[in-house]
Amino acid sequence: MNGGGLLVAGTTSDAGKSVVTAGVCRWLVRQGVKVAPFKAQNMSLNSFVTREGAEIGRAQAMQAQACRVEPTALMNPVLLKPGGEQSSQVVLLGKPVGELSARGYHGGRQQRLLGTVLDCLAELRGTYDAVICEGAGSPAEINLRRTDIVNMGIARNARLPVLVVGDIDRGGVFASFFGTVALLSPEDQALVAGFLVNKFRGDVSLLEPGLDMLHGLTGRRTYGVLPFRHGLGIDEEDGLRVSLRGTVRESNTAPPVGDDVLRVAVCAIPLMSNFTDVDALAAEPGVVVRFVDRPEELADADLVVIPGTRGTVRALEWLRERGLADALRRRAAERRPVLGICGGFQILGEHIEDDVESRRGRVEGLGVLPVRVRFAPEKILTRPEGTALGERVEGYEIHHGVAEVTGGEAFLDGCRVGQTWGTHWHGSLESDGFRRAFLREVAAAAGRRFVPAPDTSFAALREEQLDRLGDLIEQHADTDALWRLIESGAPQGLPFIPPGAPA
């Protein structure tokens, strides 16, 4: 017998689907329910490698952590990794299967994946008491409904009740709720059980008349009003939507342990991927992280990070166009700290042979590190462990580039020259001892009297964050009604709201 299920949809992208899904998962697991997350199709440049070597969206990996289970490829069977505005790499069950344009994907390939997606969901539902599914964008994208496999397409085939989340902080939430339902077909509307308001500020009693009117208009209730809380976002999905200059990662509010803060500038390169690598830095008291896109913004930085990217050659050209390439070379020559991660590591090398990603052939790198990179058709997906700076380190690798290191000091799988460091390992800074040792070196090189906090545990902070999400659901949603939805499906006899989907 299949376990219970729920699809968390949204009125828009960034309505809070990922956060609500993680919160519902953490609430359920604290009730003793064996639960798993699921997202049929994810478009994201932030990804993760599972123990079996499968690539999935980082949001689903974090949701698995909320469930206190090991993430697997079943939880995100289709991952799309944008390579620009026109095409994406398609990752199926954790492995890349090719590049497709948006027209090619929606023109037929997507619908052919429905069977695979439904099989994965059925396997999870056969193993867990409940599976909490996350939709993508809005379920009312009427131009995409015919080939949809992530919103109402999966809900209809798996008979999942649907909870629609709306971000009231943006405004227009009542119209968004009503319009979302009214643009669905009668068959799809029958599965939309109700609504969840996200990011509400103020007195809920002032909102209640509107919720009553919404119920009268749609015949559907609101299952909760979640208050606005800072710092609750789990790993973001879409690196393309990260704003550039001036963006500051959510930083720990505790004062620095030493006399100085440490300022980290992250180059906001095109197709930036796994920028969540810097979250562990932002979690340290006294470390301030911001994204930059101009050379003058590197001047007062104590550490510059070049993150991963799905377009290494394009990012290299962007750095040159912006004048950042010269600024980075000057920093390296002055022995001021620079860290390159994955694509950022490749950019710092001597040259790149790329007949896979950009198909540009040989391209000169910044020449800061003694590294030569050749892009191979086969993607490397591993979970390495090792030692650096006298500390144990764990990470994960996601890249086509194969690096030949010809000099410098060994550093993880890469190298170090002076105060310039490079590695393919994502997630290494989440290893607490290594992160502290690295920051001590950075502070010494930068002449800062910064001292890493001796007791910051990134894993514990993540757990606290997930518990806060669970608390939000437990305290501000009708959990009894939510459980009835998960266990029994959408209520019978929900009214049709015209006009419905176009024929």
Side-chain angles (χ1 to χ4, degrees):
M1 179 179 176
N2 277 347
L6 174 70
L7 176 70
V8 179
T11 56
T12 62
S13 296
D14 295 331
K17 296 182 294 290
S18 296
V19 168
V20 169
T21 300
V24 172
C25 287
R26 178 48 62 100
W27 159 66
L28 285 172
V29 81
R30 294 195 307 204
Q31 309 309 306
V33 178
K34 187 180 178 185
V35 61
F38 180 78
K39 185 160 185 172
Q41 172 195 294
N42 198 346
M43 178 172 279
S44 179
L45 288 171
N46 283 329
S47 58
F48 183 75
V49 179
T50 67
R51 292 286 179 196
E52 71 267 31
E55 185 180 9
I56 66 172
R58 272 198 68 100
Q60 279 60 65
M62 282 291 291
Q63 289 162 356
Q65 186 176 343
C67 297
R68 297 181 179 142
V69 297
E70 192 66 32
T72 73
L74 293 174
M75 297 171 184
N76 180 206
V78 181
L79 173 63
L80 305 178
K81 302 195 72 175
E85 297 298 324
Q86 299 297 323
S87 67
S88 293
Q89 183 180 67
V90 181
V91 179
L92 179 62
L93 292 173
K95 303 296 180 184
V97 294
E99 296 270 343
L100 275 180
S101 67
R103 181 181 293 274
Y105 184 68
H106 291 287
R109 179 62 185 269
Q110 182 182 32
Q111 184 65 21
R112 292 197 293 273
L113 296 174
L114 179 60
T116 299
V117 163
L118 290 171
D119 288 345
C120 291
L121 177 57
E123 186 171 341
L124 288 173
R125 294 182 79 182
T127 305
Y128 291 88
D129 301 328
V131 179
I132 308 303
C133 307
E134 180 188 342
S138 161
E141 306 290 358
I142 55 179
N143 58 314
L144 302 177
R145 176 62 185 90
R146 183 178 61 83
T147 57
D148 170 50
I149 64 169
V150 64
N151 290 306
M152 300 314 299
I154 192 82
R156 180 98 70 89
N157 279 278
R159 303 306 300 170
L160 292 171
V162 179
L163 184 70
V164 180
V165 178
D167 179 355
I168 197 170
D169 200 47
R170 294 181 172 195
V173 75
F174 292 115
S176 298
F177 281 146
F178 183 88
T180 296
V181 179
L183 281 176
L184 300 178
S185 69
E187 296 83 1
D188 286 350
Q189 286 193 24
L191 295 172
V192 178
F195 314 108
L196 186 76
V197 177
N198 191 31
K199 296 186 181 178
F200 179 70
R201 306 174 192 250
D203 185 345
V204 176
S205 67
L206 299 176
L207 187 66
E208 287 170 352
L211 301 179
D212 292 339
M213 286 185 273
L214 182 67
H215 183 269
L217 287 165
T218 67
R220 290 159 175 85
R221 57 168 299 178
T222 298
Y223 284 77
V225 177
L226 307 185
F228 187 97
R229 293 284 187 271
H230 286 286
L232 284 182
I234 64 171
D235 293 357
E236 287 94 336
E237 290 188 347
D238 195 345
L240 291 176
R241 280 200 301 271
V242 173
S243 55
L244 303 182
R245 187 172 56 82
T247 302
V248 179
R249 295 298 284 172
E250 191 79 39
S251 297
N252 197 306
T253 55
V257 175
D259 294 330
D260 290 339
V261 298
L262 207 64
R263 294 165 294 189
V264 179
V266 184
C267 295
I269 55 180
L271 297 174
M272 184 167 45
S273 63
N274 286 64
F275 55 85
T276 48
D277 281 331
V278 302
D279 284 352
L281 296 178
E284 282 285 349
V287 176
V288 179
V289 179
R290 61 192 176 121
F291 289 95
V292 303
D293 63 354
R294 299 189 303 199
E296 57 267 29
E297 294 175 301
L298 305 188
D300 65 348
D302 302 307
L303 169 67
V304 174
V305 177
I306 313 173
T309 172
R310 253 278 284 158
T312 303
V313 170
R314 179 177 167 188
L316 186 52
E317 292 173 342
W318 181 88
L319 289 169
R320 288 187 167 119
E321 290 165 3
R322 293 269 175 156
L324 285 159
D326 290 338
L328 287 165
R329 277 193 287 260
R330 284 195 300 271
R331 279 190 72 93
E334 295 165 0
R335 299 178 67 88
R336 300 178 65 199
V338 177
L339 171 64
I341 302 174
C342 200
F345 167 41
Q346 297 165 6
I347 283 168
L348 290 169
E350 296 170 0
H351 67 255
I352 298 166
E353 293 279 352
D354 182 10
D355 296 318
V356 175
E357 195 174 75
S358 69
R359 296 180 174 85
R360 294 281 298 277
R362 180 177 170 124
V363 177
E364 297 303 308
L366 297 188
V368 174
L369 291 177
V371 176
R372 298 163 187 165
V373 177
R374 176 183 55 82
F375 274 66
E378 189 74 19
K379 182 183 279 192
I380 296 170
L381 298 167
T382 63
R383 289 276 292 269
E385 300 179 9
T387 304
L389 304 179
E391 300 285 349
R392 291 288 300 165
V393 191
E394 296 181 4
Y396 57 99
E397 295 186 47
I398 305 169
H399 54 96
H400 285 278
V402 179
E404 178 191 0
V405 179
T406 61
E409 300 176 46
F411 175 64
L412 301 176
D413 72 324
C415 66
R416 168 190 184 180
V417 174
Q419 292 299 324
T420 301
W421 320 62
T423 177
H424 276 128
W425 289 24
H426 294 290
S428 63
L429 294 166
E430 296 179 19
S431 297
D432 297 327
F434 167 73
R435 183 180 65 255
R436 286 192 277 269
F438 177 70
L439 289 176
R440 281 193 290 269
E441 291 235 7
V442 168
R448 295 285 178 191
R449 291 176 297 174
F450 169 85
V451 179
D455 55 355
T456 300
S457 166
F458 188 69
L461 289 172
R462 278 277 170 87
E463 277 297 301
E464 289 173 15
Q465 185 185 44
L466 292 169
D467 276 331
R468 290 172 66 200
L469 294 178
D471 292 343
L472 270 185
I473 298 298
E474 190 169 328
Q475 295 167 12
H476 299 282
D478 185 339
T479 52
D480 289 340
L482 270 181
W483 178 246
R484 285 194 297 272
L485 269 188
I486 293 166
E487 192 174 39
S488 305
Q492 296 297 306
L494 292 168
F496 171 69
I497 308 303

